[in-house]
């Protein structure tokens, strides 16, 4: 039997006996944070570089005269599986430095033979005749030789753009003094001495260039290629002392200040009606400056004209021995310059360094820097910089640098006392109010970086940062 319940018998919800919190919030003051921004990083490079006042917008680096005979890397073009060397890039070879006849260089490039190799393949063997120069288009090659005590020792690790066998083009009776083994699969281009001689015999001006090159080693120079300062030591009696002078480069490099700018726009209604408790224009300007400083650090690392990565000397670029950043690799990078001030690496690269140290049973150092504890190796801080690129193959680079003008290191360049300067080297100029009632401000910063001597900056390249599978 069903019992019907009348509407009067239904239970009503209890009525509130006080003001609800939802209604009360309409009368309450909200506590707000300042605008937040994920793009902000520690920007260690900007903090660690000594900034030099650059009047006139340019900084000239005067150096002793150096006899440069070619030490750069070679670039290639790829069409499907076919790889060719760019003819003008052959000018990076010591033998062809300064030779600019495109037709002859094109003829030499056309005689380069492509060779694909696999990991573990022996490319050249120690003691065999050296009859080719090999240009590495892709891959890693390790060179080894017999040490003083009869054991096999590693000589060098070569990668994309490197080459070996320069002497084979001129030395008819030369042999390989080291064995080259492919560490990875890759591609190289080989130019034989026979093909080189055929091109030379048809180009008299190339023959004259080679004769000039052959005289270069007789110029007196130190191990860095600088013009030698003649002197005498250990003599007795009235020996005739040599005269000396220090020769300078006739065309020193000049670094012009680069610029980063943006126009900040704020509507007058916003600044008039919504300016409390926070100043709208000030908050907009604060975040704009943060973004501008982030871009400044990115340019100091990657700009092709003055960025540290593109402008590091080729002789100061080294390869990892096995891929990941081992303690041995860090030591080799560290020992190539005096008074190294800091390492700079992507945060993921720093994590890879930590993994390799853990695998070796080593506990990394820490040092205090600007009130913070940071990771260090041999007492040199390893600082994070997410502006250093990570390549598609999960490799990156580690920079090591000496800093300061007095130390012949890396310096930052800027100019202060700008009109309407807001921060050192950064100005904020009022540009007026438009017909749409929008206030505009021009935000500008000028900057650059200079490497005073080549060994002030070193780069460990092709650092594998992906975690290896167990």
């Amino acid at each position: 039997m069903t019992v019907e319940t009348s509407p009067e018998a239904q239970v009503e919800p209890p009525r509130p006996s006080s003001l609800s919190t939802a209604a009360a919030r309409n009368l309450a003051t909200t506590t707000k944070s300042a605008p937040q921004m994920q793009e902000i990083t520690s920007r260690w490079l900007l903090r660690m570089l000594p900034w030099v006042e650059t009047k006139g917008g340019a900084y000239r680096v005067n150096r002793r005269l150096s006899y440069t005979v070619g030490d750069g890397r070679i670039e290639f073009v790829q069409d499907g599986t076919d790889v060719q060397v760019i003819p003008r890039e052959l000018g990076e070879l010591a033998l062809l430095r300064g030779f600019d006849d495109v037709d002859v260089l094109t003829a030499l490039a056309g005689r380069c033979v492509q060779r694909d190799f696999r990991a573990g393949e022996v490319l050249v063997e120690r003691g065999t005749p050296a009859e080719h120069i090999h240009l590495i288009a892709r891959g890693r090659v390790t060179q080894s030789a017999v040490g003083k005590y009869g054991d096999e020792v590693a000589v060098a690790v070569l990668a994309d753009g490197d080459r070996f066998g320069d002497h084979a083009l001129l030395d008819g009776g030369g042999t390989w003094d080291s064995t080259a083994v492919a560490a990875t699969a890759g591609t190289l281009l080989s130019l034989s001495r026979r093909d080189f001689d055929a091109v030379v015999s048809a180009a008299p001006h190339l023959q004259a260039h080679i004769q000039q090159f052959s005289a270069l080693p007789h110029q007196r120079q130190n191990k860095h290629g600088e013009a030698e300062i003649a002197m005498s030591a250990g003599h007795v009696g009235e020996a005739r002392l040599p005269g000396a002078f220090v020769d300078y480069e006739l065309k020193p490099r000049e670094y012009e200040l680069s610029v980063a700018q943006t126009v900040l726009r704020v509507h007058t209604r916003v600044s008039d009606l919504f300016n409390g408790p926070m100043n709208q224009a000030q908050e907009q300007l604060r975040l704009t400056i943060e973004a501008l400083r982030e871009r400044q650090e990115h340019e100091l690392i990657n700009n092709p004209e003055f960025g540290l990565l593109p402008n590091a000397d080729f002789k100061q670029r080294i390869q990892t021995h096995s891929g990941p950043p081992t303690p041995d690799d860090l030591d080799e990078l560290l020992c190539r310059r005096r008074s190294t001030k800091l390492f700079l690496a992507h945060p993921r690269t720093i994590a890879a360094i930590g993994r390799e140290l853990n695998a070796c049973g080593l506990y990394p150092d820490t040092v205090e820097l600007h009130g913070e504890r940071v990771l260090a190796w041999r007492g040199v801080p390893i600082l994070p910089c997410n502006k250093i690129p990570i390549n598609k193959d999960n490799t990156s680079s580690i920079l090591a640098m000496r800093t300061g003008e007095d130390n012949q290191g890396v310096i930052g360049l800027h100019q202060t006392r700008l009109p309407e300067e807001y921060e050192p080297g950064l100005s904020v100029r009022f540009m007026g109010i438009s017909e749409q009632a929008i206030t505009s401000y021009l935000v500008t910063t000028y900057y650059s970086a200079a490497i005073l001597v080549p060994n002030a900056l070193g780069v460990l390249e092709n650092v594998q940062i992906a975690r290896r599978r167990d």
Side-chain angles (χ1 to χ4, degrees), residues 45-351:
L45 179 60
L46 298 188
R47 295 160 64 181
M48 295 298 293
L49 278 183
W51 291 93
V52 175
E53 186 71 15
T54 308
K55 296 298 183 183
Y59 185 92
R60 179 181 298 159
V61 178
N62 290 306
R63 294 176 179 169
R64 281 177 60 183
L65 177 64
S66 298
Y67 299 116
T68 304
V69 293
D71 54 14
R73 289 192 175 173
I74 298 174
E75 295 184 6
F76 305 82
V77 291
Q78 185 172 359
D79 183 9
T81 58
D82 294 332
V83 178
Q84 294 180 335
V85 62
I86 300 173
R88 285 190 178 274
E89 288 294 310
L90 291 175
E92 293 296 337
L93 299 177
L95 180 60
L96 299 176
R97 172 59 64 93
F99 185 76
D100 56 1
D101 189 317
V102 178
D103 293 335
V104 176
L105 294 177
T106 302
L108 289 173
R111 290 178 177 264
C112 292
V113 179
Q114 180 176 336
R115 174 183 175 183
D116 296 321
F117 54 84
R118 63 184 184 278
E121 182 177 347
V122 178
L123 303 179
V124 300
E125 194 164 355
R126 181 176 57 254
T128 59
E131 299 176 343
H132 296 77
I133 181 174
H134 301 290
L135 316 176
I136 303 175
R138 180 180 59 86
R140 287 167 57 91
V141 175
T142 59
Q143 291 181 304
S144 61
V146 176
K148 182 177 180 179
Y149 302 101
D151 54 342
E152 195 80 8
V153 295
V155 176
V157 179
L158 308 178
D160 306 7
D162 289 326
R163 80 271 183 178
F164 57 99
D166 297 56
H167 66 288
L169 296 182
L170 293 181
D171 187 2
T175 59
W176 294 108
D177 55 5
S178 62
T179 298
V181 180
T184 66
T187 302
L188 57 78
L189 297 180
S190 300
L191 176 64
S192 69
R193 184 169 59 250
R194 177 182 300 177
D195 288 335
F196 180 77
D197 290 341
V199 175
V200 171
S201 62
H205 50 305
L206 179 55
Q207 297 177 25
H209 177 85
I210 293 175
Q211 291 175 356
Q212 269 187 333
F213 168 79
S214 300
L216 281 178
H218 302 293
Q219 294 177 341
R220 300 183 66 84
Q221 52 189 286
N222 62 21
K223 65 179 181 179
H224 303 290
E226 298 172 329
E228 187 179 48
I229 301 175
M231 61 184 65
S232 179
H235 54 275
V236 294
E238 298 179 354
R240 183 181 295 274
L241 299 180
F245 70 96
V246 182
D247 206 355
Y248 302 131
E249 290 182 348
L250 296 179
K251 295 182 179 180
R253 178 170 180 178
E254 289 191 356
Y255 293 85
E256 293 187 2
L257 292 184
S258 184
V259 61
Q261 290 179 308
T262 188
V263 176
L264 173 63
R265 297 185 175 94
V266 181
H267 201 288
T268 53
R269 181 182 297 177
V270 171
S271 57
D272 289 345
L273 302 181
F274 305 99
N275 225 28
M278 299 180 191
N279 187 301
Q280 294 282 356
Q282 289 294 330
E283 292 300 323
Q284 289 280 304
L285 182 60
R286 178 178 65 86
L287 296 183
T288 300
I289 291 175
E290 293 284 359
L292 209 61
R293 293 300 192 193
E294 293 290 332
R295 182 55 182 267
Q296 177 182 352
E297 187 175 65
H298 177 274
E299 293 293 305
L300 290 175
I301 292 290
N302 299 292
N303 188 284
E305 296 298 325
F306 58 85
L308 300 183
L309 267 179
N311 288 275
D313 190 85
F314 287 108
K315 289 184 178 179
Q316 299 299 321
R317 299 172 185 263
I318 61 175
Q319 305 294 322
T320 59
H321 287 83
S322 59
T326 64
D328 292 341
D329 294 322
L330 295 179
D331 281 341
E332 185 172 355
L333 182 61
L334 185 64
C335 74
R336 285 177 170 253
R337 67 204 41 79
R338 58 179 172 82
S339 305
T340 302
K341 185 73 173 180
L342 59 99
F343 292 107
L344 206 63
H346 192 280
R348 287 183 59 190
T349 306
I350 296 178

